[in-house]
Amino acid sequence: MAPETSSAVTLNINGEKYTLSVDHRTTLLDALRERLDLTGAKKGCDQGQCGACTVLLDGRRAVSCLQLAVAAEGREITTIEGLAEGDRLHPVQQAFLDLDGYQCGYCTPGQICSAVAVIEEHAAGWPSAVTDDVRPEAGPAPLSAEEIRERMSGNLCRCGAYVAIVEAVGQAAATAADRIGTEEVTAV
Amino acid sequence: MSTATEAHGKAIGVPHVRVEGRDKVTGAARYAGEVPFPDLAHGWLVLSTVARGRVRFIDTAPVLGMPGVLAVLHHGNALPVDISWVDPQLGPPDATLGVFQQDLVPYAGWPVALVVAETSEQAREAAEALKVDYDQEAHDVALSYDHPGVYPLVGPLRPATEEKGDLAAELAASDVVVDAEYATGQGHHNPMEPHAVTARWEGDRLEVLDSNQGSPFVANALAQTFSLEPTAVRVRTEHVGGAFGSKSQARTHHVAAAMAARILDRPVRVVLTRRQMFSLTGYRSATIQRIRLGANPEGKLRAVEHRSLCQTSTTYEYVEASTMMTRMMYDADAHHTANLAVRLDVPTPGFMRAPGEAPGSFALECAMDELAEKCGIDPIELRLRNEPERGPISGREYSARNVVACFREGARRFGWAERDPRPGVRREGRWLLGTGTAAATYPMHVMPSSASVTANADATFTVRIAASDLGTGARTALTLAAADALEVAPERVRVEIGDTAFGFAMVAAASAGTRSWVFAIRKAVAQLREQLSQGAAVPPEGVTVMANTFAEAGALHHDDKERHTYGAQFAEVAVDPATGEVRVRRMLGMFAVGQIINPLTARSQFIGGMTWGISMALHEEAALDEATGSLVGADFAGYHISAHADVPAIEADWVDDPDPGDPVGIKGIGEIGNVGAAAAIANAVWHATGVRQRQLPIRPDRVLLATPGA
């Protein structure tokens, strides 16, 4: 008897439930792109090295090419398609658009999903490798350009749009939180 | 009535967000591998694991029995195809278009089979299970000046060698001589979107959905290869996830997909893996370059010699023409340049962002910095003293040569006047600091294109041209240029691109795409306005005019001017002599590039090119295993491209660059940001440490081995 090679799963994506039968080898990325026609998450390397497939799993960023679809059941999955509210872009999307934080656009959904989580991670007080003072009582350091670059480094961009991406993330973060001034986040 | 060349409106020169920008930031933009097709089958390529030999046996039976597998194509069962044709612009095709036509294996990563299955998972597993036996032969993959096969190789536009004057005599008479060897690493384009194609036959018509830089070129190649009428192939490309030269022509996956679709009589999609892209989509050869400069004590050049060696494959002759910049940049009584190649058992290299100029400018502009040091002259002053009146080899006048303005304005903004020329004297904690500069230039081409413009009954206009937007902002730039020519707001203009149904257009390459396309669009607009000026009402189906610049572009291409763009690059670096780490702290690029259409996206393109310069200077180098003849770590972990944390604040701007004799006024900006950037960084590393780094990338180990006291 042939081994069982597929299962029915229910995935919770952008607030909607999708039930489908998937090959056990199917990654979350391929399920999104090839089964559910959610092609916003991109396949740049298929081995977790480029970040183009970044989505949010329970609010935290994850590379969906290293996640099996069958293992994503029960988790809140947010893709680039789930960020805007109707015609109103998410502040990060708007900042990328206004400041030209992209060129070919292929890494862009991953960059934007990452940026959304970066801003939340920073606001929640998570330090990064370039945070000088990591004691909890020190409080969050300003979301400097250096902090953004460090935290966004899992998302490659071959067009070389990093300078504008960092500006866009800084601007979106400033919009999101009044306590962070524009000058601080765009300082070199 | 304004003519095409006089048309100026209000859109050009004003920042505009990309017309497709909203689709790109919401994930709505669909790339080639993302368009659903009913009954789609998935192809997965199998590449050779030996670097030279023959395929002895392919064990297809077990794989054909795997779930979902539809076919295994290989040299024993492939459809015959013809690759004896020659493209008028690109020349003959590489042997990789002759997919599965022979058992010969000329390099590691050569396509030996295509497995087609119902799903991509099934195709991949079957492809990985396919057993291929080879008769392996000894291979030769090591690039070296001592290789017996080194020979002069003619480039796409100029001879292999160009010489004037007595080099030995002028060098002997020179008071100051620089004699140095430079080397650059093997580079791979690595656009973020892997190459993807879907092919579907309708009778004897071939429909292709693709990611490419020029649908007309891909269509022509497929028509010729499958012996079809040119009009029997339609290729479309909407959004392209980066290309940089790697998507400039038809390649293995196009032919393989079309062949499988023919055999199975259903649509077939082939998407390359990141690893497959390293051997199937071209790359920039490593180079070894020798430069000798001779000058008088004031730094005036008497002798210039530049010899550059690259590799090519045994199946195709491609030369990385790294001496092209030297031929037009500086003059000397003796001026000798040579582009050399050696044929190895390696994949065929090809055009990669600023082909020739990127590695060539590294060697030339580092050598000029070394000459400035030896003469005790500021590097910018040295270049000002060597500004030529005419093309050193061609004798032609320059149409516009505003490199001096770039250096002057760049020096002012960068704070060059305060620079202490002494190397190795600035310390900040563990870091040694330095600054460097270099010139940039890139040829200015214009190529024939055709465009149509339709005046619609609702007072909008539709422009159709088989252009490609690789992320350059071309779709937006063409919208703005067309709006100004029509003297209407850009919101009333819609530009459709990427479809061979729109006629022939220049491939998006050589920084000539937008320039060539605007030339054609303006001509079509002028003719349309002429028609509309008769006063008749626009009928419901609209009024369409199609025009081409076949004659005009040809005349301009062969005129008697040196036509180039220019720039000046500045970089500040910090070097940790204990670890060898080099960090770029800031960069500035000033460019003289004619009229800028969209300042928002132009800035992005310049900065993108300069970011490539950082990547080339510090990171990019494909590692070849000479024992197996294949690459080690052919992925983003083994082949590092600059990431966020590698890239500092970069400023790019431009100077006025009027060029009254140019009928377009718009020049290309896709490559020049990449030219000279690595040299500016390498010169800054010398200024920081006092040690010349003549081999790219400037890896920590190379810094450690070269820096005294480290």
Side-chain angles (χ1 to χ4, degrees):
Chain A
M1 188 179 151
E4 199 64 45
T5 58
S6 63
S7 297
V9 293
T10 299
L11 300 177
N12 185 349
I13 305 166
N14 301 328
E16 291 195 32
K17 285 192 164 29
Y18 298 82
T19 299
L20 66 162
S21 171
V22 294
D23 188 317
H24 291 157
R25 296 165 295 191
T26 304
T27 61
L28 175 58
L29 176 63
D30 283 339
L32 291 169
R33 287 168 61 83
E34 294 185 9
R35 301 296 306 283
L36 301 173
D37 203 29
L38 290 168
T39 57
K42 303 303 182 195
K43 184 183 285 189
C45 70
D46 212 19
Q47 48 192 12
Q49 295 171 342
C50 77
C53 64
T54 302
V55 299
L56 305 180
L57 288 183
D58 297 330
R60 292 178 60 177
R61 48 203 171 129
V63 282
S64 58
C65 73
L66 295 188
Q67 178 88 21
L68 292 172
V70 289
E73 200 164 34
R75 308 190 65 175
E76 295 271 344
I77 302 163
T78 305
T79 71
I80 188 73
E81 290 94 342
L83 290 180
E85 289 179 26
D87 283 343
R88 197 159 146 248
L89 295 178
H90 186 283
V92 174
Q93 292 173 312
Q94 190 66 52
F96 270 65
L97 184 66
D98 293 343
L99 299 178
D100 209 40
Y102 60 103
Q103 290 182 43
C104 79
Y106 200 76
C107 75
T108 308
Q111 301 273 359
I112 289 174
C113 285
S114 254
V116 168
V118 160
I119 291 167
E120 287 173 9
E121 287 161 16
H122 173 263
W126 294 21
S128 82
V130 297
T131 307
D132 284 333
D133 191 343
V134 297
R135 292 171 305 136
E137 57 270 32
L143 188 57
S144 64
E146 187 190 15
E147 282 278 1
I148 295 171
R149 288 181 196 126
E150 175 64 27
R151 292 168 188 261
M152 291 291 293
S153 273
N155 290 84
L156 297 175
C157 166
R158 185 48 158 169
C159 296
Y162 297 124
V163 171
I165 292 171
V166 170
E167 290 167 357
V169 177
Q171 177 174 300
T175 311
D178 293 336
R179 68 178 187 279
I180 303 168
T182 309
E183 276 121 52
E184 276 177 313
V185 298
T186 54
V188 175
Chain B
M1 176 89 214
S2 66
T3 69
T5 54
E6 293 164 352
H8 291 294
K10 288 179 286 194
I12 286 181
V14 179
H16 282 79
V17 300
R18 292 167 199 259
V19 293
E20 79 285 7
R22 208 177 169 87
D23 286 346
K24 284 183 173 173
V25 301
T26 58
R30 292 215 183 232
Y31 295 74
E34 301 175 342
V35 178
F37 272 78
D39 202 31
L40 182 66
H42 297 262
W44 203 281
L45 283 163
V46 178
L47 307 189
S48 71
T49 54
V50 305
R52 187 182 170 100
R54 289 184 182 274
V55 176
R56 186 172 61 227
F57 178 64
I58 299 185
D59 194 8
T60 57
V63 162
L64 286 167
M66 291 175 73
V69 172
L70 300 165
V72 179
L73 306 187
H74 53 87
H75 71 275
N77 63 5
L79 294 180
V81 297
D82 174 16
I83 57 164
S84 64
W85 47 273
V86 176
D87 182 282
Q89 265 89 27
L90 298 174
D94 182 26
T96 49
L97 275 205
V99 175
F100 315 141
Q101 299 297 299
Q102 52 178 346
D103 61 354
L104 195 73
V105 174
Y107 53 78
W110 169 262
V112 295
L114 180 80
V115 177
V116 190
E118 296 286 352
T119 72
S120 61
E121 288 86 2
Q122 291 165 340
R124 177 182 188 169
E125 180 150 354
E128 288 171 357
L130 185 69
K131 194 165 175 298
V132 181
D133 289 333
Y134 301 92
D135 288 322
Q136 194 170 352
E137 298 166 17
H139 57 255
D140 175 12
V141 297
L143 178 67
S144 120
Y145 247 120
D146 303 327
H147 196 288
V150 171
Y151 70 111
L153 180 51
V154 62
L157 297 167
R158 295 275 282 268
T161 59
E162 294 194 50
E163 297 183 351
K164 73 170 185 183
D166 186 335
L167 186 68
E170 288 296 330
L171 280 171
S174 293
D175 302 278
V176 187
V177 171
V178 170
D179 181 350
E181 188 172 286
Y182 302 87
T184 60
Q186 179 171 317
H188 291 263
H189 313 78
N190 273 315
M192 294 311 299
E193 180 207 19
H195 298 58
V197 64
T198 307
R200 182 166 58 99
W201 291 83
E202 290 172 3
D204 282 334
R205 285 189 48 80
L206 176 59
E207 290 271 339
V208 177
L209 208 59
D210 192 23
S211 175
N212 70 50
Q213 295 173 232
S215 288
F217 291 79
V218 173
N220 178 57
L222 289 172
Q224 302 259 20
T225 302
F226 286 95
S227 304
L228 303 167
E229 290 299 314
T231 52
V233 182
R234 183 183 186 195
V235 177
R236 285 177 290 164
T237 188
E238 185 66 50
H239 298 291
V240 180
F244 315 111
S246 73
K247 296 174 181 171
S248 58
Q249 56 200 283
R251 298 195 186 274
T252 297
H253 59 291
H254 295 104
V255 176
M259 187 185 289
R262 186 71 159 174
I263 290 170
L264 294 170
D265 195 23
R266 61 188 281 191
V268 173
R269 174 170 295 161
V270 177
V271 182
L272 298 188
T273 67
R274 182 59 54 184
R275 182 173 297 273
Q276 289 170 348
M277 289 164 67
F278 278 78
S279 67
L280 290 181
T281 68
Y283 62 97
R284 193 197 311 282
S285 168
T287 67
I288 305 170
Q289 303 179 53
R290 187 185 183 193
I291 292 202
R292 288 195 287 177
L293 302 177
N296 72 16
E298 290 73 46
K300 185 83 181 121
L301 287 164
R302 301 185 61 152
V304 171
E305 184 192 31
H306 186 178
R307 298 168 67 79
S308 178
L309 174 67
C310 69
Q311 70 189 29
T312 188
S313 66
T314 58
T315 63
Y316 193 83
E317 292 184 293
Y318 175 85
V319 65
E320 184 73 18
S322 300
T323 70
M324 298 296 276
M325 175 172 175
T326 305
R327 292 179 185 180
M328 51 64 59
M329 201 62 199
Y330 306 114
D331 200 0
D333 288 339
H335 196 294
H336 290 206
T337 52
N339 294 318
L340 310 170
V342 60
R343 303 187 83 152
L344 301 173
D345 300 317
V346 296
T348 301
F351 305 109
M352 179 163 151
R353 199 173 194 174
E357 272 74 7
S361 65
F362 164 67
L364 177 64
E365 291 299 297
C366 285
M368 286 296 281
D369 203 67
E370 298 199 34
L371 182 63
E373 177 200 352
K374 286 197 167 186
C375 293
I377 299 171
D378 177 81
I380 294 177
E381 176 59 27
L382 178 77
R383 290 171 172 90
L384 300 185
R385 291 182 190 178
N386 283 289
E387 266 295 281
E389 294 287 318
R390 290 167 173 273
I393 300 298
S394 70
R396 294 173 172 179
E397 289 181 1
Y398 295 95
S399 69
R401 184 177 159 115
N402 284 314
V403 66
V404 171
C406 295
F407 271 117
R408 293 220 161 106
E409 179 60 14
R412 189 186 68 75
R413 293 195 197 185
F414 195 76
W416 191 260
E418 292 83 54
R419 180 182 190 254
D420 180 342
R422 293 174 300 156
V425 296
R426 287 151 299 276
R427 205 173 246 288
E428 183 188 288
R430 65 190 174 101
W431 300 101
L432 292 168
L433 306 182
T435 53
T437 189
T441 183
Y442 196 75
M444 198 165 96
H445 303 295
V446 68
M447 299 290 280
S449 293
S450 56
S452 77
V453 185
T454 300
N456 302 309
D458 63 357
T460 64
F461 296 86
T462 307
V463 175
R464 293 183 177 88
I465 185 164
S468 283
D469 188 334
L470 323 174
T472 55
R475 194 187 274 100
T476 310
L478 298 183
T479 304
L480 305 182
D484 278 5
L486 288 158
E487 295 185 34
V488 300
E491 292 72 28
R492 285 170 59 193
V493 177
R494 177 181 164 77
V495 174
E496 298 178 4
I497 61 171
D499 190 338
T500 50
F502 303 157
F504 177 82
M506 166 66 185
V507 63
S511 292
T514 297
R515 172 172 163 81
S516 303
W517 303 325
V518 167
F519 202 17
I521 289 171
R522 283 179 176 169
K523 186 173 175 185
V525 166
Q527 293 180 6
L528 177 69
R529 294 186 64 171
E530 181 79 42
Q531 275 200 26
L532 296 180
S533 70
Q534 314 298 326
V538 175
E541 71 275 16
V543 176
T544 297
V545 165
M546 189 158 191
N548 71 61
T549 53
F550 296 172
E552 295 90 333
L556 192 57
H557 196 63
H558 294 108
D559 77 351
D560 57 354
K561 289 284 200 324
E562 288 274 358
R563 297 185 184 275
H564 309 268
T565 55
Y566 297 89
Q569 304 269 12
F570 296 84
E572 178 179 337
V573 303
V575 183
D576 181 347
T579 64
E581 183 180 8
V582 178
R583 305 282 302 170
V584 178
R585 289 203 162 182
R586 64 185 173 116
M587 288 186 81
L588 166 69
M590 290 298 303
F591 301 98
V593 286
Q595 188 178 26
I596 291 292
I597 300 179
N598 185 356
L600 182 70
T601 54
R603 172 180 179 264
S604 294
Q605 241 186 323
F606 290 128
I607 291 176
M610 295 165 74
T611 302
W612 270 57
I614 296 174
S615 210
M616 178 182 173
L618 302 182
H619 309 308
E620 289 185 45
E621 181 179 43
L624 182 76
D625 175 20
E626 289 187 18
T628 62
S630 61
L631 296 181
V632 179
D635 54 43
F636 279 132
Y639 183 89
H640 181 63
I641 62 170
S642 287
H644 271 287
D646 298 310
V647 179
I650 299 176
E651 190 187 338
D653 207 345
W654 41 90
V655 299
D656 283 341
D657 183 37
D659 198 343
D662 187 81
V664 192
I666 291 158
K667 305 180 180 179
I669 60 171
E671 339 253 337
I672 192 166
N674 190 23
V675 182
I681 292 166
N683 292 336
V685 170
W686 166 78
H687 190 231
T689 63
V691 178
R692 292 286 171 186
Q693 293 291 334
R694 300 188 182 97
Q695 183 172 10
L696 298 185
I698 305 173
R699 299 188 317 226
D701 59 312
R702 289 176 178 150
V703 174
L704 285 177
L705 288 170
T707 306

